[in-house]
Amino acid sequence: MAEMQEVNFAPDYSVPPGEILEEYLESASMTQAELAQRTGLAAKTVNQIIQGKASLTQDTALRLESVLGRPAHFWNQLEAEHQEYLARARATEREREQLEWLKRFPINKMQELGWISTQKDRRAQLHALLQFFGVHSSCQWAKVWEHHQVAYRQSQRFKAEAEAVSAWLRRGELQGHARDCTDYDATAFRNLLKDLRGLTRESPEVFQAQIQERCASAGVAVEFVPSLPGTRVSGATRWLTPTKALIQLSLRYRSDDQLWFSFFHEAGHVLLHGKRAVFIEGGNGLDEHKEDEANRFAADILIPPREWQSFVASGQPTLAQVRDFAEQLGVAPGIVVGRLQHESIVGWEWGNGLKQRFQWDHE
């Protein structure tokens, strides 16, 4: 005889116990009020069970067994099957909603960068994305990442991109947590920033490792994270723990003057502003006063005010003068060009040949 194979049966419908109970009452010519009187249940409770607004408890099942003659396990089984059906329906709806939520992320790019495992099945992609964020569902994602999206709620232009921004921030967070750092020391961090200016003259192969190592010695994790489509973020600053700050940089802007200004700008936030604040450069809704403070901090660290005023006192310099001035300061000439352009002393096309251009390894 052929061996019987087990078949999993998951019906797409369920009959609420209340409907069966109502049929029994009709066949017994018994009203709800009479059933309530015979069982000792409140009339309202009987009505709610029949309407499907209340569950049929085990105690109620025992009472129905005495009055209607069907064993308690019959009623308990009806209730259990109905609750399982409702739970599956809710799970299916949640999955449908989460698969729609999945579409709002640049999954292909995240897979390409190795941030999540490469999967073709959408449910597997959803699972990988939730693991990446360390949350159970899209609802938990919203609660965890809500405060990081404040800067983007002010603009319709950024509204649909909050998911990509959160993924970029999460990647930086994971890298930052993995980096060994000493406890934060504000004095040590401020002092080393002046020395880091010299790294602006180096290639990424040299400066990236050095800036990360030296900042880690002062309690600041510096992470370079490629931007995702739609993020439009150049940098971010936040505190991972009370003793560990995170500076996260993208290569949204690919020239050395912009990258280094972004770094020192974020360093200004670390030194000047509170540990509870989150700064995401590139969106709306930022504190203009604190942004101005961070901008001034970065400008003055890269090129001290007295030296700058002396350099521009005679008007537009020559390219040779820019090179000499940068050499005296110990910074890359592209940084001087960028400052001249920003202050409209020269045009935006002037001197760009002195800037270094960067590119991510994966590109």
Side-chain angles (χ1 to χ4, degrees):
M1 184 172 64
E3 183 179 346
M4 296 292 291
Q5 292 185 341
E6 183 180 352
V7 177
N8 294 323
F9 177 60
D12 59 357
Y13 65 90
S14 174
V15 179
E19 290 188 16
I20 304 299
L21 177 57
E22 188 173 31
E23 291 178 2
Y24 269 85
L25 292 182
E26 290 177 358
S27 63
S29 299
M30 186 183 300
T31 65
Q32 293 183 27
E34 184 179 354
L35 178 65
Q37 188 177 41
R38 289 177 180 274
T39 58
L41 296 170
K44 180 179 180 180
T45 299
V46 172
N47 181 259
Q48 287 181 330
I49 292 174
I50 289 176
Q51 296 295 325
K53 297 179 180 179
S55 299
L56 197 155
T57 66
Q58 293 184 347
D59 176 70
T60 299
L62 288 171
R63 294 171 187 251
L64 293 177
E65 178 181 82
S66 300
V67 175
L68 300 176
R70 291 306 302 264
H73 67 76
F74 168 78
W75 301 106
N76 288 330
Q77 184 66 24
L78 285 176
E79 182 63 37
E81 290 176 356
H82 183 61
Q83 291 302 325
E84 180 182 349
Y85 167 80
L86 294 178
R88 290 185 183 277
R90 289 192 295 269
T92 298
E93 178 60 21
R94 284 195 301 269
E95 182 180 70
R96 185 192 66 78
E97 292 175 353
Q98 291 196 106
L99 289 175
E100 286 299 312
W101 171 71
L102 177 70
K103 295 178 182 179
R104 289 147 58 182
F105 288 87
I107 294 297
N108 290 340
K109 189 64 176 180
M110 293 173 69
Q111 291 182 152
E112 176 188 324
L113 292 171
W115 296 6
I116 60 175
S117 59
T118 301
Q119 306 283 350
K120 292 184 178 180
D121 179 74
R122 293 182 65 222
R123 289 176 176 81
Q125 290 177 355
L126 175 61
H127 179 69
L129 183 65
L130 292 173
Q131 282 193 321
F132 171 77
F133 280 110
V135 296
H136 173 66
S137 70
S138 58
C139 292
Q140 277 66 54
W141 168 86
K143 292 178 181 178
V144 171
W145 292 93
E146 184 176 19
H147 67 289
H148 288 318
Q149 300 173 47
V150 172
Y152 294 87
R153 291 182 179 166
Q154 307 298 324
S155 170
Q156 287 294 109
R157 186 164 64 95
F158 286 101
K159 185 176 181 180
E161 300 161 358
E163 290 77 15
V165 172
S166 69
W168 183 80
L169 290 170
R170 174 61 170 170
R171 180 62 180 183
E173 179 183 86
L174 292 172
Q175 292 181 194
H177 278 303
R179 188 168 302 280
D180 290 330
C181 294
T182 61
D183 287 349
Y184 175 68
D185 185 328
T187 301
F189 185 55
R190 185 182 292 272
N191 290 337
L192 73 82
L193 288 178
K194 296 178 182 179
D195 294 334
L196 292 180
R197 290 190 313 175
L199 291 178
T200 64
R201 302 175 69 88
E202 303 290 347
S203 67
E205 292 77 15
V206 174
F207 74 67
Q208 183 171 346
Q210 288 197 32
I211 195 173
Q212 289 177 320
E213 179 180 349
R214 298 186 66 180
C215 288
S217 70
V220 180
V222 178
E223 305 301 332
F224 297 86
V225 181
S227 59
L228 294 172
T231 52
R232 297 188 178 93
V233 179
S234 56
T237 303
R238 58 201 187 280
W239 288 80
L240 299 178
T241 72
T243 59
K244 188 177 190 179
L246 170 65
I247 291 177
Q248 183 173 341
L249 300 171
S250 74
L251 267 183
R252 178 189 176 193
Y253 303 114
R254 297 177 179 272
S255 60
D256 58 349
D257 62 316
Q258 293 167 324
L259 177 66
W260 283 106
F261 188 87
S262 293
F263 166 73
F264 285 105
H265 175 98
E266 302 304 334
H269 281 314
V270 172
L271 285 166
L272 302 175
H273 306 129
K275 293 185 177 182
R276 294 182 179 273
V278 176
F279 297 94
I280 306 174
E281 317 302 338
N284 288 344
L286 296 173
D287 186 316
E288 291 186 6
H289 176 67
K290 291 180 179 179
E291 288 303 299
D292 288 342
E293 286 183 333
N295 283 338
R296 178 48 53 192
F297 178 87
D300 290 348
I301 282 284
L302 286 166
I303 305 177
R306 181 177 297 179
E307 284 83 344
W308 177 252
Q309 291 303 323
S310 175
F311 178 64
V312 298
S314 301
Q316 179 174 330
T318 64
L319 293 178
Q321 289 173 325
V322 167
R323 293 191 188 93
D324 291 342
F325 181 59
E327 184 71 28
Q328 294 171 20
L329 291 177
V331 299
I335 290 174
V336 180
V337 171
R339 180 76 175 269
L340 290 167
Q341 293 173 341
H342 180 74
E343 296 193 6
S344 300
I345 296 174
V346 299
W348 289 106
E349 302 298 323
W350 189 90
N352 285 333
L354 295 181
K355 295 183 180 182
Q356 293 186 70
R357 300 288 174 177
F358 302 132
Q359 190 173 25
W360 289 105
D361 288 341
H362 73 274
E363 296 173 326

